[in-house]
Amino acid sequence: MAEWSNWSGTVTTDVDIVPVRDVAHVQEVVAAASAAGRRVKPIGAGHSFTAIGEPVDVQLRMDALTGLIS
């Protein structure tokens, strides 16, 4: 678990943060979370002023995914 917050610090939460490596890793993380009844949310830079981007159980860090075409 790690603490996540939006850029302004108005929304914070403790969440599992998973830096995904590739599409297969995304599929693996989502399947495992679903089987455990957990929710997954990919988060960008966290620029929302509201809690709409707040991850609940698992946050996907998508930084390493580049060059995707589909």
Side-chain angles (χ1 to χ4, degrees):
M1 287 278 198
E3 183 177 89
W4 174 89
S5 65
N6 65 349
W7 71 273
S8 65
T10 59
V11 181
T12 61
T13 188
D14 288 326
V15 64
D16 287 332
I17 299 174
V18 180
V20 293
R21 300 178 299 271
D22 52 35
V23 173
H25 190 209
V26 172
Q27 293 169 328
E28 176 186 319
V29 171
V30 170
S34 177
R38 301 180 81 204
R39 292 183 283 178
V40 176
K41 188 176 276 192
I43 301 296
H47 281 99
S48 177
F49 289 102
T50 69
I52 194 167
E54 179 181 1
V56 177
D57 296 317
V58 179
Q59 173 193 351
L60 297 183
R61 289 284 312 269
M62 310 295 273
D63 305 31
L65 295 181
T66 61
L68 299 178
I69 55 174
S70 64

